[in-house]
Amino acid sequence: MSRQKFIAANWKLNIKQSEAKDFLLRFSPISQASPEIVLCPSFTSLATVASQIQDTEIQLGAQDMSQYSSGAYTGEISAEMLLEIGVQHIIIGHSERRMIFKEDDSIVNAKMNAALNAGLRPILCCGESEQQREQGQTDIWVSGQIAAALENLDLDKLGTNFVVAYEPIWAIGTGKVCDSSEANRVISVIRAKLKEILGDQKSSQIRILYGGSVKSSNVSELMSQSDIDGALVGGASLDPIEFAKIINNANSAIIS
Ligand code: PGA
């Protein structure tokens, strides 16, 4: 089954609004790039990026949202607010939110539900720690994260309108990229879990990305694996030239 590749930039707590404008002036991936390209800036840069990418194929994502749709939740931003300014995708369950901001599986599940109800497309993250890997728990851990995130969701509504990102925690921001065949293996475990929950047909259509120290120098190798359908890129997406190179190299790997 051929699935369109998907490459997303997660800028995290970087790139101010004024810098986002400069990024977009310098960011020019080859025009016939076949992957879907998504930029996920910080909240304050979303509107600027939305207006700058208006006439392009580039899509917009946010890095987080509230599980609540309105009310007395100081500091929160709802899915509807994001949709109103042109956001299409939402990162949910990133390991930094799980670890630093103590978001557990039930919050991840509630955010999946809120995104689904509003019509935002989730980029659902999962991944094991170094210790879990050493103890041989990787497969059971990531499968459990996926099952918990999708629990009690309206699966008809969910359809195939989300992507999963497998991001081993020990590979994020460390320069220690996961071996591509091992990333491919874990991703096939995730797909098997999706098959159990969603059935054969839907699970074979869902894109599963790899994330963790992706760069222009390792993306081709990752993209040439059978089950890796794209990348979620942190550090290397902050440089517009490097991020364009990642897309171009991924594109060549798909064509060849
Ligand atoms: P990294 O981050 O590319 O800097 O490792 C990836 C991520 O956290 O999504």
Side-chain angles (χ1 to χ4, degrees):
M1 152 122 262
S2 96
R3 296 174 288 264
Q4 187 189 12
K5 294 278 193 276
F6 186 107
I7 302 202
N10 175 10
W11 287 353
K12 307 189 181 182
L13 182 49
N14 298 292
I15 307 194
K16 290 183 288 213
Q17 195 193 26
S18 51
E19 295 164 336
K21 278 190 186 156
D22 184 56
F23 179 101
L24 288 159
L25 287 176
R26 297 170 58 220
F27 177 60
S28 53
I30 46 170
S31 53
Q32 75 278 28
S34 67
E36 266 186 79
I37 303 169
V38 180
L39 296 179
C40 304
S42 56
F43 288 131
T44 55
S45 295
L46 282 169
T48 300
V49 173
S51 76
Q52 304 256 130
I53 61 177
Q54 233 175 43
D55 300 317
T56 74
E57 300 273 296
I58 302 168
Q59 300 169 36
L60 188 62
Q63 299 171 21
D64 186 32
M65 55 168 244
S66 177
Q67 68 264 45
Y68 303 111
S69 56
S70 64
Y73 302 104
T74 303
E76 291 290 87
I77 291 184
S78 70
E80 291 80 1
M81 289 171 177
L82 295 173
L83 274 167
E84 194 184 33
I85 58 164
V87 173
Q88 297 145 282
H89 304 267
I90 181 77
I91 299 176
I92 296 179
H94 191 282
S95 60
E96 287 153 12
R97 297 223 54 93
R98 291 181 191 259
M99 291 188 320
I100 306 167
F101 301 100
K102 308 287 177 252
E103 287 190 8
D104 59 14
D105 280 341
S106 71
I107 296 179
V108 170
N109 179 248
K111 288 188 176 185
M112 286 292 292
N113 198 32
L116 190 60
N117 288 334
L120 275 181
R121 294 165 64 188
I123 301 173
L124 169 63
C125 302
C126 63
E128 81 288 358
S129 66
E130 190 149 41
Q131 196 188 18
Q132 287 166 325
R133 170 158 287 268
E134 278 161 10
Q135 292 170 349
Q137 292 171 357
T138 298
D139 298 5
I140 192 137
W141 178 256
V142 295
S143 301
Q145 284 184 312
I146 297 298
L150 302 187
E151 201 176 309
N152 295 325
L153 295 189
D154 180 341
L155 297 182
D156 287 334
K157 207 164 176 184
L158 181 66
T160 55
N161 227 358
F162 70 109
V163 303
V164 173
Y166 167 55
E167 299 205 302
I169 297 169
W170 48 270
I172 296 179
T174 58
K176 282 198 272 177
V177 66
C178 183
D179 178 73
S180 61
S181 58
E182 172 58 10
N184 198 53
R185 190 196 65 76
V186 180
I187 284 175
S188 63
V189 168
I190 294 169
R191 194 173 304 286
K193 189 62 182 180
L194 290 174
K195 185 172 164 182
E196 238 177 81
I197 301 169
L198 300 168
D200 206 3
Q201 211 202 352
K202 279 189 194 164
S203 64
S204 66
Q205 290 170 30
I206 290 164
R207 273 86 55 90
I208 309 181
L209 325 177
Y210 166 78
S213 297
V214 173
K215 299 193 269 289
S216 60
S217 56
N218 58 29
V219 72
S220 315
E221 159 85 22
L222 289 158
M223 289 311 116
S224 56
Q225 294 286 333
S226 59
D227 274 278
I228 304 182
D229 302 319
L232 181 54
V233 187
S237 73
L238 299 177
D239 174 351
I241 311 294
E242 169 66 4
F243 189 52
K245 227 171 171 185
I246 289 175
I247 292 160
N248 296 347
N249 290 355
N251 209 40
S252 322
I254 302 161
I255 296 164
S256 64

